[in-house]
Amino acid sequence: MKMHRVLLHSYRAAMAAPFHLIVLPRTRWRTLYSSATQQQQHQQQQQQQQQQQQQQQQQKQEVHVKPSRIGSPARVQKLIASQSDPLLAKEIFDLASLQPNFKHSYSSFHILILKLGRAHQFSLMQDLLMRLRSEQCPVNPSLFSDIIEIYGEANLPDQALKTFHTMVEFRTKPLPKHLNCLLQFLVSHRNYIRPAFDLFKSAHRYGISPDTKSYNILMSAFCFNEDLSIAYTLFNQMFKRDIVPDVESYRILMQGLCRKSQINRAVDLLEDMLNKGYIPDALSYTTLLNSLCRKKKLKEAYKLLCRMKVKGCNPDIVHYNTVISGFCREGRGLDACKVLEDMSSNGCSPNLMSYRTLVSGLCDQGLYNEAKNYVVEMLSKGFSPHFSVFHALINGFCNVGKIEEACEVLGEMLGHGEAPHTDTWVAIIPRICEADKLVTMENIFDEALKLDITPDTRLMEAGIGLEEYVIRKIRHKSRKPQVF
């Protein structure tokens, strides 16, 4: 009862006091209630901690699970490399980038950059290149060689030059091969020869020492543009900078001298080359032989041809044909025959061009019997002469009245399935008719009919000469006096 009065008094005091000032007396029930509340709070805290731990574990699991949806960086690289469509490869790259904690391999960047560049998606290629730089990923220098080559194929010299300067931003030191790749492309555009030369002279700023190939590229460009003085300066500069010229260096300068008709200086350069222990290549000799023959210095050309083997370079078919052609152009067919005979002794066999050039040259000089012998020789070796060779020989025999020989050559021609030209029929048929060699004519037509009749056979042109022959015979008979 006493406890009841105390509780009632506390309730009335509480109702009369402001709400925020209510303080319950410390009773045994309040203590019990407070203890229960603390236990509940403690349990809630434990539950929250457990939930947080579970969430953290789930997040860790998701980090490992999500990348597996598209694969590892190696798998993404293979997917990108296998795509023929560069834009689809770019989508795969971007999709992989969205995955948490995913990092592309350098190879993926390299492959995709080249795919976009070769598809002329230059804007996307540059964006990807800048992204590669922002990730501070080590870059293989070959990437820039490929990009310069891509811009070269796309005919964009300014972009190629800009790419070379961009290498510094990637903390990649340009190499001589990068310089040479860019120089080779720039000099192919006549307006960029000077910028290429300026880049060559400033190469040391990039830590590059131009090599022999660098000099050869510029020497060739200046020789081709007939600026021989700069080419010579570069050649001499190589020795001053302890850069050893190669065979190509000498050949480039020889070609430049020959192009300017300075053949004597070119020969002197060859002698200097030989004295320094170099062995000139086949193209170097071809350059000099061509120039000597054009300058009608055939004796010097033949001497050089004979020296080649002694100096370590065996003459090939091109060298022999060059000298044969030179002799024939100057009406020296018999000297050309000697060159042809030298070929076999030096282990080089004449080809169709050798025989065609020689036979035509002999016919031009009226040496038809010698020409006929070489035609027979070439046929025995399985060569099929061009109809122009047969025509030159047949026409030549007809002009000197050797109809039998002309018919023999025509028979050989038909026997090998070659169709005579219209001019050949016109040349030989009237001569046969004039000589009344009808049996010969019949044999010729028998051989001609064995050919496949095509528009190239030109058999009908033979009728022109026959028609004239028949008309002449009729007129001749009509003029004979009649005997009654």
Side-chain angles (χ1 to χ4, degrees), residues 73 76-77 80 90 93-94 97 102-117 124-125 127-139 143 147 170:
V76 172
Q77 174 191 330
I80 292 172
K90 180 68 165 57
F93 183 92
D94 293 338
S97 302
F102 186 91
K103 186 175 182 180
H104 284 287
S105 65
Y106 168 74
S107 297
S108 295
F109 277 97
H110 194 140
I111 293 169
L112 185 55
I113 286 172
L114 298 187
K115 280 183 177 289
L116 293 171
L124 293 175
M125 181 186 76
D127 291 343
L128 199 59
L129 195 61
M130 293 304 102
R131 179 173 171 180
L132 179 61
R133 184 182 65 181
S134 65
E135 294 194 5
Q136 297 182 346
C137 183
V139 178
L143 173 64
I147 294 175
F170 283 81

Side-chain angles (χ1 to χ4, degrees), residues 373-469:
N373 293 334
Y374 281 110
V375 168
V376 173
E377 181 180 324
M378 68 187 298
L379 290 173
S380 67
K381 292 184 177 181
F383 293 113
S384 180
H386 192 260
F387 67 82
S388 61
V389 174
F390 282 116
H391 173 73
L393 191 52
I394 292 170
N395 191 52
F397 277 128
C398 289
N399 289 336
V400 296
K402 295 185 176 182
I403 308 303
E404 291 287 347
E405 289 81 352
C407 290
E408 288 179 12
V409 176
L410 182 59
E412 289 286 344
M413 184 178 185
L414 294 169
H416 282 80
E418 291 289 335
H421 192 267
T422 304
D423 295 337
T424 307
W425 288 118
V426 171
I428 195 169
I429 289 179
R431 303 298 174 85
I432 295 175
C433 294
E434 287 176 0
D436 282 335
K437 295 184 178 294
L438 296 180
V439 176
T440 303
M441 179 69 74
E442 183 179 354
N443 293 335
I444 289 174
F445 279 118
D446 286 342
E447 289 293 329
L449 290 173
K450 292 178 182 178
L451 298 176
D452 292 333
I453 304 300
T454 65
D456 294 330
T457 307
R458 304 181 181 90
L459 183 60
M460 296 306 297
E461 277 82 353
I464 300 173
L466 289 174
E467 181 182 5
E468 294 177 353
Y469 168 74

Side-chain angles (χ1 to χ4, degrees), residues 36-100:
T37 304
Q38 288 177 356
Q39 289 178 357
Q40 289 178 356
Q41 289 178 351
H42 181 68
Q43 290 176 354
Q44 288 177 357
Q45 288 177 357
Q46 287 181 340
Q47 290 177 355
Q48 288 177 356
Q49 288 177 357
Q50 290 177 356
Q51 289 177 356
Q52 288 177 357
Q53 290 176 356
Q54 290 176 355
Q55 288 177 357
Q56 289 176 357
Q57 289 177 355
Q58 288 177 357
Q59 288 176 356
K60 289 180 180 179
Q61 290 175 355
E62 287 176 357
V63 167
H64 293 289
V65 171
K66 285 187 177 179
S68 64
R69 294 175 185 173
I70 192 166
S72 64
R75 183 170 181 271
V76 172
Q77 174 191 330
K78 291 180 180 179
L79 284 172
I80 292 172
S82 64
Q83 299 304 316
S84 58
D85 185 352
L87 297 180
L88 181 57
K90 180 68 165 57
E91 288 184 13
I92 295 172
F93 183 92
D94 293 338
L95 180 62
S97 302
L98 297 175
Q99 305 301 312

Side-chain angles (χ1 to χ4, degrees), residues 329-359:
R329 278 199 305 266
E330 296 304 312
R332 296 173 62 177
L334 295 179
D335 289 325
C337 293
K338 187 176 185 307
V339 176
L340 189 74
E341 292 168 2
D342 291 342
M343 294 177 69
S344 300
S345 60
N346 288 325
C348 184
S349 299
N351 62 4
L352 179 60
M353 182 60 68
S354 309
Y355 285 111
R356 283 178 58 178
T357 303
L358 183 57
V359 171

